[in-house]
């Protein structure tokens, strides 16, 4: 028995080194160290861009105050070569260009916030259809003289307009207009190209006449889209718009700015106040019947309805349009009859004879 016990003890002594900890053996591989990884931090939730409080009624751009009830002004601008450059034209929210007589054109410049303007001019005479365009915006119409047809309408209907040739506002005491034959440095103008007004003078007039607000019930019905480029439109990086043998407008799309830069008479159409080129988001070309009505070459422009073109974002599509009576606003439609939406920004509206052909490339 004693012998068996000794043998067991000897065997246990032999096994002890083999049962030791692996750390006791310098040649043993160390165990892996487990490194805990902190959980990934989720990206911050983007803060949504707040919806603008208000949108500009004529351009659809965001603005800081509600202008929907404020009345715009519409100013007749001289566009004879000898009268250029115009002043204040680059700040217009909408420019309408239409034939006057003998192939020349004039612009009707629409301003929603005239208080922000500097000099504006040179101011020239009214025509019936320019006044009708202004009426569609419930705008205060500013001009210097006018055609017999316009004065007949003004007299019969008792219209209020701001006239720099006849009536109270033609006098120096009104402070509304003045003449400056050297209004642009380096130029000396004929007397008929020298009449100016200003944003300050217009604002004072609107306040005096209590005509700062729209008539009850008026609302400009145009809709705007963040991306106004028409779906399926043809390429329109350059659009050529012929008004007559005397005047052709050319609109070059700037892909960097997303605007159409305007040229006329083979040169940039600039603002004499600061030398900037007129550039717009939307180009509309409306074709209609233009009929010569007197020996002076004055024309009647039918603003009832017609066809035309809309260009935005370098693309152009055919459209239709209608206005109807003098007090109604212009409405634009896609080919399927749905209302057209413009891009957010300024607009240039060319009204040309049906005999002229628009080119786009």
């Amino acid at each position: 028995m004693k012998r068996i016990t000794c043998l067991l003890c000897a065997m246990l002594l032999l096994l002890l080194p083999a049962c030791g900890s692996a750390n006791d053996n310098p040649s043993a591989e160390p165990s892996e160290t487990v490194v805990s990884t902190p959980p990934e931090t989720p990206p911050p939730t983007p803060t949504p861009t707040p919806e603008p409080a208000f949108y500009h009624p004529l351009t659809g751009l965001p603005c800081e105050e509600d202008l929907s009830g404020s009345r715009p002004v519409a100013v007749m601008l001289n566009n004879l070569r000898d009268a250029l450059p115009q002043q204040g034209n680059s700040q217009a929210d909408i420019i309408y260009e239409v034939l006057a007589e003998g192939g020349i054109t004039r612009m009707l410049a629409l301003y929603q916030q005239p208080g922000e303007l500097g000099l504006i001019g040179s101011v020239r005479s009214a025509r019936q259809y320019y006044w009708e365009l202004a009426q569609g915006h419930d705008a205060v119409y500013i001009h210097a003289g006018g055609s017999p047809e316009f004065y007949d309408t003004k007299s019969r209907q008792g219209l209020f307009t701001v006239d720099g040739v006849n009536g109270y506002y033609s006098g120096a005491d009104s402070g509304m207009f003045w003449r400056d034959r050297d209004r642009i440095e380096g130029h000396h103008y004929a007397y008929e190209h020298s009449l100016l007004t200003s944003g300050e003078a217009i604002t004072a007039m609107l306040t005096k006449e209590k005509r700062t607000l729209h008539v009850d019930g008026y609302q400009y019905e145009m809709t705007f889209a963040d991306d106004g480029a028409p779906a399926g439109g043809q390429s329109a990086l350059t659009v050529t718009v012929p008004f007559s043998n005397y005047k052709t407008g050319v609109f070059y799309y700037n892909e960097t700015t997303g605007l159409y830069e305007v040229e006329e008479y083979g040169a940039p159409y600039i603002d004499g106040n600061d030398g900037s080129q007129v550039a717009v988001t939307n180009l509309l070309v409306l074709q209609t019947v233009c009929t010569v009505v007197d020996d002076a070459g004055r024309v009647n422009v039918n603003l009832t309805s017609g066809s035309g073109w809309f260009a935005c974002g370098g693309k152009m599509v055919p459209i239709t349009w209608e206005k109807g009576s003098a007090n109604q606003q212009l409405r634009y439609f896609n080919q399927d009859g749905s209302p057209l939406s413009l891009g957010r920004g300024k607009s240039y509206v060319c009204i040309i004879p049906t005999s002229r052909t628009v080119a786009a490339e």
Side-chain angles (χ1 to χ4, degrees), residues 170-247:
S170 64
D173 291 344
S174 73
M176 182 67 198
F177 299 99
W178 61 93
R179 293 201 178 265
D180 182 357
R181 298 184 66 178
D182 300 301
R183 57 188 178 82
I184 300 291
E185 185 177 355
H187 294 256
H188 184 71
Y189 295 95
Y191 181 80
E192 63 268 26
H193 305 324
S194 66
L195 193 68
L196 295 176
T197 186
S198 70
E200 181 180 5
I202 292 172
T203 302
M205 175 274 299
L206 292 173
T207 302
K208 174 183 178 296
E209 296 288 347
K210 296 182 173 57
R211 295 181 183 271
T212 58
L213 300 178
H214 278 300
V215 297
D216 290 344
Y218 179 84
Q219 182 179 2
Y220 187 47
E221 299 174 5
M222 183 56 63
T223 60
F224 298 88
D226 293 334
D227 181 4
Q234 69 182 87
S235 178
L237 301 181
T238 302
V239 183
T240 303
V241 182
F243 289 84
S244 66
N245 293 336
Y246 177 80
K247 169 63 202 292

Side-chain angles (χ1 to χ4, degrees), residues 185-327:
E185 185 177 355
H187 294 256
H188 184 71
Y189 295 95
Y191 181 80
E192 63 268 26
H193 305 324
S194 66
L195 193 68
L196 295 176
T197 186
S198 70
E200 181 180 5
I202 292 172
T203 302
M205 175 274 299
L206 292 173
T207 302
K208 174 183 178 296
E209 296 288 347
K210 296 182 173 57
R211 295 181 183 271
T212 58
L213 300 178
H214 278 300
V215 297
D216 290 344
Y218 179 84
Q219 182 179 2
Y220 187 47
E221 299 174 5
M222 183 56 63
T223 60
F224 298 88
D226 293 334
D227 181 4
Q234 69 182 87
S235 178
L237 301 181
T238 302
V239 183
T240 303
V241 182
F243 289 84
S244 66
N245 293 336
Y246 177 80
K247 169 63 202 292
T248 295
V250 184
F251 299 80
Y252 294 101
Y253 184 65
N254 184 320
E255 297 188 49
T256 301
T257 64
L259 303 176
Y260 280 98
E261 297 170 347
V262 189
E263 290 193 2
E264 62 173 6
Y265 306 124
Y269 175 44
I270 66 168
D271 186 331
N273 284 338
D274 59 10
S276 61
Q277 185 173 8
V278 174
V280 298
T281 299
N282 305 294
L283 169 63
L284 295 121
V285 183
L286 314 184
Q287 295 191 280
T288 191
V289 175
C290 301
T291 308
V292 177
V293 295
D294 61 21
D295 293 340
R298 298 187 185 95
V299 298
N300 175 67
V301 176
N302 186 338
L303 293 179
T304 304
S305 62
S307 60
W309 300 91
F310 167 60
C312 182
K315 298 291 184 181
M316 188 170 81
V317 292
I319 61 170
T320 60
W321 61 272
E322 64 179 33
K323 185 179 190 300
S325 68
N327 293 330

Side-chain angles (χ1 to χ4, degrees), residues 2 11 14 19 26 68 82 107 181 207 223 231 255 260 264:
K2 213 182 260 190
M11 291 175 65
L14 290 171
C19 295
S68 60
D82 291 344
M107 281 74 168
R181 298 184 66 178
T207 302
T223 60
E255 297 188 49
Y260 280 98
E264 62 173 6

